Amino acid sequence: MKLRGHSYSPGYWWIEVGCPFDTIGDNEKIRDELLRQVLGVWDHLKNQGNHNMQNFALDWIGFVPGKRESRRFIGDYILKEKDLKTGRIFPDSVAYGGWYIDLHTPGGILAKDKPPEPLHGNPKEIDSRSVPLYSIPYRCLYSRNIENLFLAGRDISVSHIALGSTRVMATCAVIGQAVGTASFFCKKYHLKPKEIYPSYIKEIQQQLLKDDCYIPGVKNEEPFDLSKKAEITASSQSRLLFPEPKIGKRLNQTLGQLFPVSTERLEKIGLFLEAKKRTKVILHLRKAKNIRDFTSKNDLSISKVILSPNYKGWVDFNLSIA
């Protein structure tokens, strides 16, 4: 659905239906149901409630249902939920992902008693869906029983749960480049997709790196690459300064902040705080396994400060951690 002058975010992705429809056999029924839902939402936005959209115009509606999954293709390996959550690095890695396991409510908009996505407002569910950076093996990108069929995009060999992460466009794009590169080597060596692995997988990986792809766990082994001998220098340096924030976070609940550490020793952490009355603030420093990990309960250091009434400014939390 495209609205002229529309700039609302994140859009209307929740206008979707699944069961009780057969996503293969009921394509026209699904299209008609989605059209009914779209026009109903549009009527509400334009004519009902206080949405300030009474002067908007509806420009375009898609008439081909976009399917997330239906039939499943099987390769020599099926990427699973455990592979994603453990950040598994495969020896035949040719692509990567990192989107959380994004599974929508099966009934879509017809499941009126459920949110469009179960993790909305549920911190535990959000934690359970988070994944670190993971690799995607070449063996997921071709059919195990159709000898000349490559798989790229949403049709790769994954489980239903893993598809919730691998299906996003940026991940599909790097998978597509990997398959395109592998196709070149199939033609070069007169081989079927299945026959490329394992003999030529390193060559494919190195070619992808040359073409500016990133592959977790794969290093540049090109002996004639001059960039490996390059040295980086800086003509000047400047401290990273943070201005006073305009919008704050209330500390009436536990909050976490993830940040990288590049030094061998951490002396202190500074926070900009404001207190109306005398307030004790406790900071717990903990390790994270990846950029979405807030599950650790083991303190590396604990620091406490007392803020006086009407205090506003930067506060240093002194640490003793190597």
Side-chain angles (χ1 to χ4, degrees):
M1 180 168 68
K2 182 180 180 183
L3 306 180
R4 186 182 301 160
H6 178 64
S7 60
Y8 296 166
S9 181
Y12 298 95
W13 58 266
W14 40 267
I15 303 178
E16 57 183 0
V17 296
C19 61
F21 296 100
D22 178 340
T23 57
I24 297 173
D26 293 336
N27 195 62
E28 290 193 10
K29 292 180 182 178
I30 291 172
R31 180 200 61 200
D32 293 345
E33 177 61 27
L34 285 171
L35 180 60
R36 186 173 77 91
Q37 298 292 348
V38 165
L39 292 176
V41 170
W42 167 240
D43 175 65
H44 175 80
L45 291 172
K46 185 174 176 66
N47 303 316
Q48 316 292 330
N50 184 24
H51 299 287
N52 296 318
M53 295 179 70
Q54 59 270 21
N55 295 322
F56 277 50
L58 185 61
D59 273 352
W60 174 84
I61 298 174
F63 275 80
V64 178
K67 299 180 183 181
R68 176 174 295 187
E69 57 183 313
S70 55
R71 296 183 175 92
R72 192 169 302 285
F73 292 85
I74 306 299
D76 275 346
Y77 186 81
I78 301 174
L79 195 68
K80 300 177 287 294
E81 176 184 7
K82 184 178 180 181
D83 298 325
L84 274 57
K85 287 191 171 182
T86 58
R88 185 172 177 183
I89 305 299
F90 294 88
D92 57 330
S93 301
V94 290
Y96 68 96
W99 189 254
Y100 71 100
I101 297 175
D102 186 1
L103 300 175
H104 296 184
T105 296
I109 199 170
L110 298 178
K112 298 179 181 180
D113 59 334
K114 298 177 182 178
E117 202 171 25
L119 57 78
H120 282 200
N122 188 339
K124 289 185 178 180
E125 186 72 21
I126 292 173
D127 287 342
S128 72
R129 301 285 192 89
S130 297
V131 300
L133 196 70
Y134 60 86
S135 68
I136 298 173
Y138 174 72
R139 288 166 293 159
C140 291
L141 309 187
Y142 59 84
S143 170
R144 72 179 181 186
N145 59 348
I146 304 175
E147 63 177 15
N148 64 340
L149 180 62
F150 269 116
L151 310 172
R154 289 183 174 178
D155 61 348
I156 68 171
S157 178
V158 292
S159 69
H160 165 69
I161 300 297
L163 181 67
S165 173
T166 63
R167 65 173 180 80
V168 295
M169 285 188 285
T171 303
C172 290
V174 294
I175 293 171
Q177 184 163 351
V179 165
T181 302
S183 299
F184 166 79
F185 282 97
C186 283
K187 185 174 182 180
K188 178 180 178 180
Y189 294 117
H190 306 286
L191 296 172
K192 300 292 193 299
K194 194 184 190 79
E195 298 169 338
I196 287 288
Y197 178 79
S199 300
Y200 297 96
I201 194 64
K202 268 201 165 187
E203 195 171 350
I204 292 175
Q205 291 172 332
Q206 292 302 308
Q207 183 61 53
L208 287 167
L209 293 184
K210 289 178 187 178
D211 294 335
D212 206 26
C213 288
Y214 170 70
I215 308 175
V218 178
K219 295 182 179 180
N220 180 358
E221 297 178 1
E222 171 56 60
F224 303 109
D225 186 353
L226 296 179
S227 66
K228 296 170 69 174
K229 301 177 181 179
E231 294 183 359
I232 300 175
T233 60
S235 59
S236 62
Q237 62 182 18
S238 177
R239 287 191 63 192
L240 179 62
L241 300 176
F242 295 94
E244 179 180 328
K246 296 180 179 179
I247 301 176
K249 289 280 189 181
R250 294 179 59 85
L251 292 181
N252 54 355
Q253 61 180 349
T254 301
L255 294 178
Q257 174 65 50
L258 190 75
F259 57 91
V261 177
S262 58
T263 59
E264 294 182 357
R265 185 171 183 82
L266 197 59
E267 299 288 347
K268 62 183 179 181
I269 293 175
L271 298 177
F272 192 91
L273 300 174
E274 181 179 3
K276 300 297 183 184
K277 60 182 181 180
R278 190 175 186 271
T279 305
K280 179 169 70 172
V281 182
I282 304 174
L283 183 144
H284 299 258
L285 182 68
R286 296 170 180 173
K287 278 188 176 181
K289 293 180 289 186
N290 57 68
I291 61 172
R292 293 192 177 98
D293 175 34
F294 290 90
T295 60
S296 175
K297 296 181 180 179
N298 298 321
D299 292 317
L300 300 175
S301 179
I302 300 176
S303 183
K304 303 176 184 179
V305 298
I306 303 295
L307 303 181
S308 57
N310 298 316
Y311 180 87
K312 184 178 181 180
W314 287 96
V315 178
D316 285 338
F317 289 82
N318 294 314
L319 306 170
S320 56
I321 179 70

